[in-house]
Amino acid sequence: MSALVKSVGANQPSTMTIYDFPQGPYPTRVRIALAEKDLQSRARFVMVDLYKGEHKKPEFIANKNYSGTLPVLELEDGTCIAECTAITEYLDGLDGSPTLTGRTPLEKGLIHMMSKRAELELLDAISVYFHHGTPGLGPQVELYQNPEWGFRQRDKAVRGMHYFDAVLKGRPYVAGDAFSMADITVIGGLVFAAIVELPIPEACTALLAWYERMKKRPSVRSQPAFAGCAIA
């Protein structure tokens, strides 16, 4: 692995390492959360090459993430936190403003509900399509593919786009009146949709307008996933 170290603010030491593929949809979720909370200076990024299957190597699985997925946040004491939701909750605990996972029990419940729906109905569905209905990461990584299942999940993702379009017709953000982890998850899904060339349906006017608005946020537009071709 080669290290990509991002140093912002020389007076603040890095307190966490993030194993990362910069343009990937899932790592992009954590990168946006870091930027929203202005915590980039406390992190260094270590590149894990997905095309080479570095995330599936026995050493990575044994020492960093049993699931063999990215991103992974590692603390100075060696503790590793995987899964975007868990990492975002940890980041929220470091600094209270802005809060991405909710302040009140109601906010927390709604944000987690909508973020989970975004994973199930959009982001993870596109991931399955990528790995099963397209060449994915290539034959050295994609050891088993079920194209029929992949295409079914592609269709599920389109239905998910229509669902979030309906949601956004009634409120400015995915979980209510404020930007949250749920918005970040939908952004990740649409990043992935662009990778697999799955367009947002023209009929989804609210979702399209919301996404254009999201791409103007500094935390979003600065991400490598929006600089060119990306993969997950």
Side-chain angles (χ1 to χ4, degrees):
M1 298 180 188
S2 60
L4 291 179
V5 179
K6 181 176 183 179
S7 89
V8 181
N11 294 328
Q12 295 184 0
S14 296
T15 59
M16 51 192 161
T17 298
I18 297 177
Y19 296 91
D20 176 65
F21 192 92
Q23 294 177 315
Y26 293 89
T28 293
R29 291 170 64 185
V30 169
R31 283 173 165 267
I32 292 172
L34 277 166
E36 285 285 331
K37 300 185 73 65
D38 196 23
L39 292 172
Q40 302 99 313
S41 62
R42 296 178 60 177
R44 73 182 187 104
F45 292 89
V46 175
M47 171 77 166
V48 179
D49 194 327
L50 299 183
Y51 278 117
K52 294 180 179 179
E54 291 181 347
H55 58 309
K56 301 298 184 183
K57 299 292 185 183
E59 179 183 1
F60 186 85
I61 290 173
N63 298 320
K64 305 304 178 187
N65 184 11
Y66 169 81
S67 299
T69 58
L70 296 176
V72 179
L73 182 151
E74 184 176 18
L75 304 179
E76 290 180 315
D77 67 358
T79 300
C80 289
I81 303 174
E83 310 303 335
C84 295
T85 297
I87 295 171
T88 303
E89 288 180 336
Y90 175 80
L91 297 176
D92 250 1
L94 294 180
D95 187 296
S97 180
T99 300
L100 300 173
T101 57
R103 295 182 181 276
T104 67
L106 178 59
E107 287 179 358
K108 289 178 182 290
L110 290 174
I111 289 169
H112 279 250
M113 176 182 74
M114 295 307 294
S115 186
K116 187 63 176 179
R117 286 182 180 176
E119 288 180 340
L120 292 174
E121 305 300 327
L122 185 62
L123 180 56
D124 292 350
I126 295 174
S127 178
V128 173
Y129 171 56
F130 174 76
H131 291 293
H132 289 274
T134 79
L137 294 171
Q140 292 184 341
V141 179
E142 310 293 0
L143 301 180
Y144 167 76
Q145 290 186 300
N146 183 333
E148 181 182 358
W149 178 239
F151 286 113
R152 287 181 64 182
Q153 291 298 297
R154 177 198 62 186
D155 295 342
K156 178 180 180 179
V158 174
R159 293 194 298 272
M161 291 179 186
H162 283 283
Y163 167 72
F164 284 105
D165 178 67
V167 167
L168 289 162
K169 285 178 179 176
R171 54 196 188 217
Y173 296 98
V174 173
D177 293 329
F179 184 84
S180 73
M181 178 174 65
D183 296 279
I184 295 174
T185 307
V186 175
I187 291 168
L190 298 182
V191 167
F192 218 156
I195 292 166
V196 299
E197 299 181 349
L198 183 64
I200 302 172
E202 292 183 2
C204 295
T205 55
L207 179 61
L208 285 163
W210 168 88
Y211 194 36
E212 288 305 309
R213 186 160 51 91
M214 293 303 99
K215 287 189 287 186
K216 294 177 182 178
R217 293 181 73 90
S219 65
V220 177
R221 69 169 183 254
S222 64
Q223 299 308 318
F226 292 93
C229 181
I231 83 125

